[in-house]
mmCIF file of all heavy atoms in Angstrom:
data_model
loop_
_atom_site.group_PDB
_atom_site.id
_atom_site.type_symbol
_atom_site.label_atom_id
_atom_site.label_comp_id
_atom_site.label_asym_id
_atom_site.label_seq_id
_atom_site.Cartn_x
_atom_site.Cartn_y
_atom_site.Cartn_z
ATOM 1 N N ASN V 1 1.427 16.283 15.945
ATOM 2 C CA ASN V 1 2.599 16.887 16.566
ATOM 3 C C ASN V 1 2.714 16.417 18.011
ATOM 4 O O ASN V 1 2.020 16.916 18.908
ATOM 5 C CB ASN V 1 2.510 18.414 16.521
ATOM 6 C CG ASN V 1 3.791 19.085 16.981
ATOM 7 O OD1 ASN V 1 4.717 18.427 17.459
ATOM 8 N ND2 ASN V 1 3.870 20.394 16.838
ATOM 9 N N TYR V 2 3.591 15.450 18.223
ATOM 10 C CA TYR V 2 3.876 14.941 19.557
ATOM 11 C C TYR V 2 5.360 15.115 19.864
ATOM 12 O O TYR V 2 5.976 14.272 20.524
ATOM 13 C CB TYR V 2 3.457 13.472 19.661
ATOM 14 C CG TYR V 2 1.951 13.282 19.680
ATOM 15 C CD1 TYR V 2 1.243 13.131 18.493
ATOM 16 C CD2 TYR V 2 1.240 13.294 20.870
ATOM 17 C CE1 TYR V 2 -0.139 12.974 18.499
ATOM 18 C CE2 TYR V 2 -0.141 13.129 20.896
ATOM 19 C CZ TYR V 2 -0.819 12.973 19.704
ATOM 20 O OH TYR V 2 -2.186 12.817 19.716
ATOM 21 N N ASN V 3 5.912 16.207 19.393
ATOM 22 C CA ASN V 3 7.332 16.463 19.618
ATOM 23 C C ASN V 3 7.697 16.460 21.094
ATOM 24 O O ASN V 3 8.804 16.065 21.474
ATOM 25 C CB ASN V 3 7.727 17.805 18.997
ATOM 26 C CG ASN V 3 7.917 17.708 17.491
ATOM 27 O OD1 ASN V 3 8.092 16.627 16.952
ATOM 28 N ND2 ASN V 3 7.886 18.850 16.817
ATOM 29 N N ASN V 4 6.763 16.887 21.933
ATOM 30 C CA ASN V 4 7.069 16.997 23.364
ATOM 31 C C ASN V 4 7.287 15.641 24.029
ATOM 32 O O ASN V 4 7.948 15.551 25.066
ATOM 33 C CB ASN V 4 5.949 17.755 24.092
ATOM 34 C CG ASN V 4 4.603 17.060 23.971
ATOM 35 O OD1 ASN V 4 4.307 16.440 22.952
ATOM 36 N ND2 ASN V 4 3.779 17.172 25.008
ATOM 37 N N VAL V 5 6.742 14.568 23.451
ATOM 38 C CA VAL V 5 6.934 13.240 24.047
ATOM 39 C C VAL V 5 7.701 12.303 23.119
ATOM 40 O O VAL V 5 7.901 11.123 23.452
ATOM 41 C CB VAL V 5 5.575 12.600 24.427
ATOM 42 C CG1 VAL V 5 4.936 13.357 25.573
ATOM 43 C CG2 VAL V 5 4.648 12.514 23.222
ATOM 44 N N LEU V 6 8.126 12.818 21.970
ATOM 45 C CA LEU V 6 8.863 11.986 21.010
ATOM 46 C C LEU V 6 10.223 12.591 20.670
ATOM 47 O O LEU V 6 10.761 12.355 19.578
ATOM 48 C CB LEU V 6 8.042 11.801 19.730
ATOM 49 C CG LEU V 6 6.791 10.932 19.840
ATOM 50 C CD1 LEU V 6 6.023 10.931 18.520
ATOM 51 C CD2 LEU V 6 7.145 9.499 20.244
ATOM 52 N N ASP V 7 10.762 13.369 21.575
ATOM 53 C CA ASP V 7 12.089 13.939 21.362
ATOM 54 C C ASP V 7 12.176 14.667 20.019
ATOM 55 O O ASP V 7 13.145 14.538 19.284
ATOM 56 C CB ASP V 7 13.163 12.835 21.425
ATOM 57 C CG ASP V 7 14.570 13.400 21.469
ATOM 58 O OD1 ASP V 7 14.748 14.524 21.975
ATOM 59 O OD2 ASP V 7 15.492 12.724 20.979
ATOM 60 N N ASN V 8 11.129 15.412 19.701
ATOM 61 C CA ASN V 8 11.074 16.205 18.460
ATOM 62 C C ASN V 8 11.134 15.357 17.193
ATOM 63 O O ASN V 8 11.581 15.824 16.152
ATOM 64 C CB ASN V 8 12.205 17.244 18.431
ATOM 65 C CG ASN V 8 12.003 18.347 19.450
ATOM 66 O OD1 ASN V 8 10.872 18.761 19.703
ATOM 67 N ND2 ASN V 8 13.083 18.796 20.056
ATOM 68 N N LEU V 9 10.641 14.130 17.268
ATOM 69 C CA LEU V 9 10.716 13.219 16.134
ATOM 70 C C LEU V 9 9.345 12.827 15.593
ATOM 71 O O LEU V 9 9.138 11.721 15.098
ATOM 72 C CB LEU V 9 11.496 11.960 16.532
ATOM 73 C CG LEU V 9 12.992 12.173 16.754
ATOM 74 C CD1 LEU V 9 13.612 10.959 17.435
ATOM 75 C CD2 LEU V 9 13.706 12.445 15.431
ATOM 76 N N SER V 10 8.389 13.744 15.659
ATOM 77 C CA SER V 10 7.061 13.453 15.115
ATOM 78 C C SER V 10 7.145 13.041 13.653
ATOM 79 O O SER V 10 6.408 12.156 13.192
ATOM 80 C CB SER V 10 6.151 14.675 15.252
ATOM 81 O OG SER V 10 5.866 14.949 16.602
ATOM 82 N N HIS V 11 8.043 13.671 12.906
ATOM 83 C CA HIS V 11 8.138 13.385 11.482
ATOM 84 C C HIS V 11 8.716 11.999 11.194
ATOM 85 O O HIS V 11 8.633 11.534 10.056
ATOM 86 C CB HIS V 11 9.004 14.440 10.784
ATOM 87 C CG HIS V 11 8.270 15.703 10.484
ATOM 88 N ND1 HIS V 11 8.261 16.779 11.337
ATOM 89 C CD2 HIS V 11 7.511 16.063 9.409
ATOM 90 C CE1 HIS V 11 7.534 17.754 10.802
ATOM 91 N NE2 HIS V 11 7.064 17.349 9.649
ATOM 92 N N ASN V 12 9.274 11.362 12.173
ATOM 93 C CA ASN V 12 9.704 9.981 11.977
ATOM 94 C C ASN V 12 8.582 9.013 12.311
ATOM 95 O O ASN V 12 8.211 8.170 11.497
ATOM 96 C CB ASN V 12 10.937 9.679 12.832
ATOM 97 C CG ASN V 12 11.401 8.242 12.678
ATOM 98 O OD1 ASN V 12 10.947 7.353 13.389
ATOM 99 N ND2 ASN V 12 12.285 8.007 11.713
ATOM 100 N N PHE V 13 8.002 9.158 13.476
ATOM 101 C CA PHE V 13 7.051 8.165 13.953
ATOM 102 C C PHE V 13 5.685 8.266 13.291
ATOM 103 O O PHE V 13 4.943 7.286 13.264
ATOM 104 C CB PHE V 13 6.938 8.252 15.482
ATOM 105 C CG PHE V 13 8.190 7.813 16.184
ATOM 106 C CD1 PHE V 13 9.029 8.738 16.780
ATOM 107 C CD2 PHE V 13 8.546 6.471 16.219
ATOM 108 C CE1 PHE V 13 10.201 8.333 17.411
ATOM 109 C CE2 PHE V 13 9.717 6.057 16.848
ATOM 110 C CZ PHE V 13 10.544 6.986 17.445
ATOM 111 N N LEU V 14 5.355 9.426 12.721
ATOM 112 C CA LEU V 14 4.095 9.527 11.983
ATOM 113 C C LEU V 14 4.056 8.541 10.828
ATOM 114 O O LEU V 14 3.001 7.995 10.495
ATOM 115 C CB LEU V 14 3.917 10.954 11.446
ATOM 116 C CG LEU V 14 2.732 11.197 10.507
ATOM 117 C CD1 LEU V 14 1.409 10.885 11.209
ATOM 118 C CD2 LEU V 14 2.733 12.629 9.989
ATOM 119 N N PHE V 15 5.211 8.278 10.221
ATOM 120 C CA PHE V 15 5.253 7.470 9.008
ATOM 121 C C PHE V 15 5.544 5.994 9.263
ATOM 122 O O PHE V 15 5.732 5.226 8.317
ATOM 123 C CB PHE V 15 6.263 8.068 8.032
ATOM 124 C CG PHE V 15 5.894 9.474 7.647
ATOM 125 C CD1 PHE V 15 6.588 10.554 8.157
ATOM 126 C CD2 PHE V 15 4.813 9.715 6.821
ATOM 127 C CE1 PHE V 15 6.226 11.848 7.838
ATOM 128 C CE2 PHE V 15 4.441 11.004 6.481
ATOM 129 C CZ PHE V 15 5.150 12.083 6.994
ATOM 130 N N ASN V 16 5.597 5.594 10.537
ATOM 131 C CA ASN V 16 5.593 4.161 10.848
ATOM 132 C C ASN V 16 4.653 3.891 12.021
ATOM 133 O O ASN V 16 4.856 2.965 12.794
ATOM 134 C CB ASN V 16 7.014 3.636 11.131
ATOM 135 C CG ASN V 16 7.712 4.392 12.246
ATOM 136 O OD1 ASN V 16 7.083 4.804 13.210
ATOM 137 N ND2 ASN V 16 9.020 4.557 12.109
ATOM 138 N N LEU V 17 3.600 4.692 12.100
ATOM 139 C CA LEU V 17 2.653 4.625 13.206
ATOM 140 C C LEU V 17 1.746 3.399 13.060
ATOM 141 O O LEU V 17 0.999 3.276 12.094
ATOM 142 C CB LEU V 17 1.807 5.902 13.232
ATOM 143 C CG LEU V 17 0.839 6.072 14.403
ATOM 144 C CD1 LEU V 17 1.608 6.171 15.719
ATOM 145 C CD2 LEU V 17 -0.015 7.321 14.196
ATOM 146 N N GLU V 18 1.854 2.491 14.020
ATOM 147 C CA GLU V 18 0.979 1.306 14.059
ATOM 148 C C GLU V 18 0.311 1.244 15.429
ATOM 149 O O GLU V 18 -0.409 2.148 15.818
ATOM 150 C CB GLU V 18 1.787 0.045 13.790
ATOM 151 C CG GLU V 18 2.260 -0.109 12.362
ATOM 152 C CD GLU V 18 2.742 -1.519 12.097
ATOM 153 O OE1 GLU V 18 1.986 -2.461 12.423
ATOM 154 O OE2 GLU V 18 3.850 -1.682 11.570
ATOM 155 N N GLY V 19 0.608 0.160 16.179
ATOM 156 C CA GLY V 19 0.111 0.068 17.539
ATOM 157 C C GLY V 19 0.988 0.877 18.480
ATOM 158 O O GLY V 19 1.944 1.542 18.081
ATOM 159 N N SER V 20 0.681 0.804 19.760
ATOM 160 C CA SER V 20 1.398 1.600 20.752
ATOM 161 C C SER V 20 2.866 1.227 20.853
ATOM 162 O O SER V 20 3.682 2.010 21.341
ATOM 163 C CB SER V 20 0.736 1.466 22.124
ATOM 164 O OG SER V 20 0.717 0.107 22.533
ATOM 165 N N GLY V 21 3.232 0.030 20.366
ATOM 166 C CA GLY V 21 4.625 -0.381 20.417
ATOM 167 C C GLY V 21 5.477 0.183 19.310
ATOM 168 O O GLY V 21 6.692 -0.040 19.275
ATOM 169 N N SER V 22 4.887 0.944 18.405
ATOM 170 C CA SER V 22 5.647 1.468 17.271
ATOM 171 C C SER V 22 6.386 2.754 17.584
ATOM 172 O O SER V 22 7.091 3.291 16.723
ATOM 173 C CB SER V 22 4.720 1.692 16.066
ATOM 174 O OG SER V 22 3.732 2.673 16.361
ATOM 175 N N ASN V 23 6.239 3.264 18.801
ATOM 176 C CA ASN V 23 6.943 4.492 19.187
ATOM 177 C C ASN V 23 7.067 4.533 20.703
ATOM 178 O O ASN V 23 6.290 3.890 21.409
ATOM 179 C CB ASN V 23 6.202 5.723 18.663
ATOM 180 C CG ASN V 23 4.779 5.802 19.183
ATOM 181 O OD1 ASN V 23 4.527 6.252 20.292
ATOM 182 N ND2 ASN V 23 3.827 5.327 18.366
ATOM 183 N N PRO V 24 8.033 5.284 21.208
ATOM 184 C CA PRO V 24 8.288 5.265 22.658
ATOM 185 C C PRO V 24 7.220 5.940 23.494
ATOM 186 O O PRO V 24 7.192 5.762 24.704
ATOM 187 C CB PRO V 24 9.640 5.991 22.777
ATOM 188 C CG PRO V 24 9.730 6.834 21.560
ATOM 189 C CD PRO V 24 9.049 6.063 20.485
ATOM 190 N N ALA V 25 6.315 6.704 22.872
ATOM 191 C CA ALA V 25 5.264 7.378 23.633
ATOM 192 C C ALA V 25 3.991 6.545 23.719
ATOM 193 O O ALA V 25 3.016 6.969 24.346
ATOM 194 C CB ALA V 25 4.956 8.735 23.006
ATOM 195 N N GLY V 26 3.973 5.372 23.073
ATOM 196 C CA GLY V 26 2.795 4.510 23.147
ATOM 197 C C GLY V 26 1.600 5.024 22.367
ATOM 198 O O GLY V 26 0.451 4.703 22.693
ATOM 199 N N LEU V 27 1.847 5.790 21.315
ATOM 200 C CA LEU V 27 0.767 6.347 20.501
ATOM 201 C C LEU V 27 0.361 5.354 19.417
ATOM 202 O O LEU V 27 1.197 4.646 18.867
ATOM 203 C CB LEU V 27 1.230 7.655 19.860
ATOM 204 C CG LEU V 27 1.674 8.743 20.846
ATOM 205 C CD1 LEU V 27 2.466 9.825 20.131
ATOM 206 C CD2 LEU V 27 0.471 9.340 21.559
ATOM 207 N N ASP V 28 -0.931 5.316 19.099
ATOM 208 C CA ASP V 28 -1.394 4.413 18.047
ATOM 209 C C ASP V 28 -2.096 5.202 16.943
ATOM 210 O O ASP V 28 -2.155 6.428 16.973
ATOM 211 C CB ASP V 28 -2.287 3.317 18.616
ATOM 212 C CG ASP V 28 -3.544 3.868 19.286
ATOM 213 O OD1 ASP V 28 -3.924 5.029 19.011
ATOM 214 O OD2 ASP V 28 -4.155 3.136 20.088
ATOM 215 N N LYS V 29 -2.674 4.475 15.983
ATOM 216 C CA LYS V 29 -3.276 5.135 14.826
ATOM 217 C C LYS V 29 -4.466 6.022 15.183
ATOM 218 O O LYS V 29 -4.785 6.955 14.443
ATOM 219 C CB LYS V 29 -3.719 4.084 13.802
ATOM 220 C CG LYS V 29 -2.571 3.364 13.116
ATOM 221 C CD LYS V 29 -3.089 2.392 12.071
ATOM 222 C CE LYS V 29 -1.955 1.649 11.400
ATOM 223 N NZ LYS V 29 -2.437 0.718 10.349
ATOM 224 N N ALA V 30 -5.113 5.744 16.290
ATOM 225 C CA ALA V 30 -6.262 6.549 16.685
ATOM 226 C C ALA V 30 -5.876 7.995 16.968
ATOM 227 O O ALA V 30 -6.730 8.890 16.952
ATOM 228 C CB ALA V 30 -6.938 5.930 17.910
ATOM 229 N N THR V 31 -4.595 8.235 17.216
ATOM 230 C CA THR V 31 -4.138 9.608 17.494
ATOM 231 C C THR V 31 -3.899 10.406 16.221
ATOM 232 O O THR V 31 -3.668 11.611 16.287
ATOM 233 C CB THR V 31 -2.832 9.586 18.300
ATOM 234 O OG1 THR V 31 -1.779 8.993 17.507
ATOM 235 C CG2 THR V 31 -2.986 8.790 19.583
ATOM 236 N N ASN V 32 -3.940 9.753 15.074
ATOM 237 C CA ASN V 32 -3.581 10.406 13.817
ATOM 238 C C ASN V 32 -4.803 11.053 13.168
ATOM 239 O O ASN V 32 -5.649 10.373 12.578
ATOM 240 C CB ASN V 32 -2.959 9.396 12.861
ATOM 241 C CG ASN V 32 -2.488 10.037 11.560
ATOM 242 O OD1 ASN V 32 -2.540 11.248 11.384
ATOM 243 N ND2 ASN V 32 -2.047 9.200 10.635
ATOM 244 N N LYS V 33 -4.885 12.364 13.258
ATOM 245 C CA LYS V 33 -5.954 13.126 12.605
ATOM 246 C C LYS V 33 -5.406 13.963 11.461
ATOM 247 O O LYS V 33 -6.049 14.909 11.013
ATOM 248 C CB LYS V 33 -6.655 14.021 13.622
ATOM 249 C CG LYS V 33 -7.345 13.245 14.741
ATOM 250 C CD LYS V 33 -8.022 14.181 15.727
ATOM 251 C CE LYS V 33 -8.694 13.384 16.851
ATOM 252 N NZ LYS V 33 -9.354 14.289 17.836
ATOM 253 N N GLU V 34 -4.205 13.614 10.992
ATOM 254 C CA GLU V 34 -3.575 14.378 9.915
ATOM 255 C C GLU V 34 -3.860 13.790 8.538
ATOM 256 O O GLU V 34 -3.996 14.529 7.566
ATOM 257 C CB GLU V 34 -2.061 14.451 10.126
ATOM 258 C CG GLU V 34 -1.349 15.211 9.024
ATOM 259 C CD GLU V 34 0.078 15.586 9.372
ATOM 260 O OE1 GLU V 34 0.440 15.510 10.566
ATOM 261 O OE2 GLU V 34 0.824 15.964 8.463
ATOM 262 N N PHE V 35 -3.973 12.468 8.445
ATOM 263 C CA PHE V 35 -4.191 11.833 7.150
ATOM 264 C C PHE V 35 -5.627 12.071 6.695
ATOM 265 O O PHE V 35 -6.578 11.702 7.391
ATOM 266 C CB PHE V 35 -3.913 10.341 7.231
ATOM 267 C CG PHE V 35 -2.457 9.975 7.378
ATOM 268 C CD1 PHE V 35 -1.474 10.956 7.541
ATOM 269 C CD2 PHE V 35 -2.060 8.648 7.350
ATOM 270 C CE1 PHE V 35 -0.137 10.609 7.680
ATOM 271 C CE2 PHE V 35 -0.725 8.288 7.480
ATOM 272 C CZ PHE V 35 0.243 9.276 7.647
ATOM 273 N N ILE V 36 -5.788 12.642 5.517
ATOM 274 C CA ILE V 36 -7.104 12.960 4.972
ATOM 275 C C ILE V 36 -7.578 11.867 4.031
ATOM 276 O O ILE V 36 -8.727 11.453 4.064
ATOM 277 C CB ILE V 36 -7.066 14.324 4.248
ATOM 278 C CG1 ILE V 36 -6.729 15.431 5.254
ATOM 279 C CG2 ILE V 36 -8.391 14.617 3.552
ATOM 280 C CD1 ILE V 36 -6.503 16.796 4.618
ATOM 281 N N PHE V 37 -6.687 11.388 3.180
ATOM 282 C CA PHE V 37 -6.980 10.250 2.312
ATOM 283 C C PHE V 37 -5.775 9.333 2.347
ATOM 284 O O PHE V 37 -4.650 9.774 2.104
ATOM 285 C CB PHE V 37 -7.275 10.716 0.891
ATOM 286 C CG PHE V 37 -7.575 9.590 -0.060
ATOM 287 C CD1 PHE V 37 -8.510 8.624 0.266
ATOM 288 C CD2 PHE V 37 -6.922 9.491 -1.277
ATOM 289 C CE1 PHE V 37 -8.784 7.574 -0.595
ATOM 290 C CE2 PHE V 37 -7.192 8.444 -2.150
ATOM 291 C CZ PHE V 37 -8.128 7.490 -1.813
ATOM 292 N N TYR V 38 -6.015 8.070 2.644
ATOM 293 C CA TYR V 38 -4.904 7.155 2.868
ATOM 294 C C TYR V 38 -5.367 5.726 2.676
ATOM 295 O O TYR V 38 -6.559 5.418 2.705
ATOM 296 C CB TYR V 38 -4.351 7.332 4.286
ATOM 297 C CG TYR V 38 -5.382 7.217 5.385
ATOM 298 C CD1 TYR V 38 -5.517 6.052 6.130
ATOM 299 C CD2 TYR V 38 -6.231 8.293 5.683
ATOM 300 C CE1 TYR V 38 -6.462 5.942 7.133
ATOM 301 C CE2 TYR V 38 -7.186 8.197 6.685
ATOM 302 C CZ TYR V 38 -7.303 7.026 7.406
ATOM 303 O OH TYR V 38 -8.257 6.916 8.392
ATOM 304 N N SER V 39 -4.416 4.845 2.446
ATOM 305 C CA SER V 39 -4.699 3.418 2.370
ATOM 306 C C SER V 39 -4.469 2.803 3.743
ATOM 307 O O SER V 39 -3.403 2.995 4.342
ATOM 308 C CB SER V 39 -3.787 2.741 1.339
ATOM 309 O OG SER V 39 -4.093 3.168 0.039
ATOM 310 N N LYS V 40 -5.472 2.082 4.237
ATOM 311 C CA LYS V 40 -5.395 1.493 5.564
ATOM 312 C C LYS V 40 -4.698 0.138 5.518
ATOM 313 O O LYS V 40 -4.929 -0.670 4.616
ATOM 314 C CB LYS V 40 -6.797 1.285 6.139
ATOM 315 C CG LYS V 40 -7.511 2.561 6.531
ATOM 316 C CD LYS V 40 -6.893 3.234 7.732
ATOM 317 C CE LYS V 40 -7.075 2.425 8.994
ATOM 318 N NZ LYS V 40 -6.466 3.088 10.174
ATOM 319 N N PHE V 41 -3.855 -0.099 6.509
ATOM 320 C CA PHE V 41 -3.181 -1.391 6.673
ATOM 321 C C PHE V 41 -3.319 -1.817 8.128
ATOM 322 O O PHE V 41 -3.573 -0.987 9.014
ATOM 323 C CB PHE V 41 -1.710 -1.293 6.277
ATOM 324 C CG PHE V 41 -1.504 -1.143 4.792
ATOM 325 C CD1 PHE V 41 -1.607 0.098 4.176
ATOM 326 C CD2 PHE V 41 -1.225 -2.245 4.004
ATOM 327 C CE1 PHE V 41 -1.443 0.232 2.814
ATOM 328 C CE2 PHE V 41 -1.062 -2.116 2.631
ATOM 329 C CZ PHE V 41 -1.164 -0.877 2.034
ATOM 330 N N ASP V 42 -3.149 -3.102 8.359
ATOM 331 C CA ASP V 42 -3.293 -3.637 9.709
ATOM 332 C C ASP V 42 -2.497 -4.937 9.813
ATOM 333 O O ASP V 42 -2.503 -5.749 8.880
ATOM 334 C CB ASP V 42 -4.769 -3.889 10.019
ATOM 335 C CG ASP V 42 -4.970 -4.429 11.418
ATOM 336 O OD1 ASP V 42 -4.965 -3.617 12.357
ATOM 337 O OD2 ASP V 42 -5.122 -5.664 11.565
ATOM 338 N N PHE V 43 -1.835 -5.141 10.932
ATOM 339 C CA PHE V 43 -0.968 -6.306 11.091
ATOM 340 C C PHE V 43 -1.738 -7.616 10.996
ATOM 341 O O PHE V 43 -1.239 -8.613 10.475
ATOM 342 C CB PHE V 43 -0.230 -6.233 12.433
ATOM 343 C CG PHE V 43 0.721 -7.363 12.644
ATOM 344 C CD1 PHE V 43 1.872 -7.484 11.873
ATOM 345 C CD2 PHE V 43 0.478 -8.333 13.604
ATOM 346 C CE1 PHE V 43 2.752 -8.541 12.054
ATOM 347 C CE2 PHE V 43 1.348 -9.391 13.800
ATOM 348 C CZ PHE V 43 2.489 -9.492 13.020
#
């Protein structure tokens, strides 16, 4: 939940979260503690 720095759009950027350039707040995958089981991808 980064609504405070993502204009209330956490639900958008969570699902295209890559490097810091993937969202205006500069957040990367290391900030994601919500995914419990997932397939990892990398550019």
Side-chain angles (χ1 to χ4, degrees):
N1 188 353
Y2 288 89
N3 281 341
N4 60 326
V5 292
L6 290 176
D7 191 28
N8 291 324
L9 290 167
S10 293
H11 279 93
N12 179 272
F13 292 106
L14 173 61
F15 300 106
N16 56 36
L17 185 64
E18 289 194 51
S20 59
S22 63
N23 59 82
L27 301 164
D28 61 19
K29 291 183 181 181
T31 65
N32 183 5
K33 298 180 181 180
E34 179 166 345
F35 289 5
I36 297 173
F37 180 50
Y38 54 101
S39 292
K40 289 291 292 180
F41 289 83
D42 181 81
F43 182 68

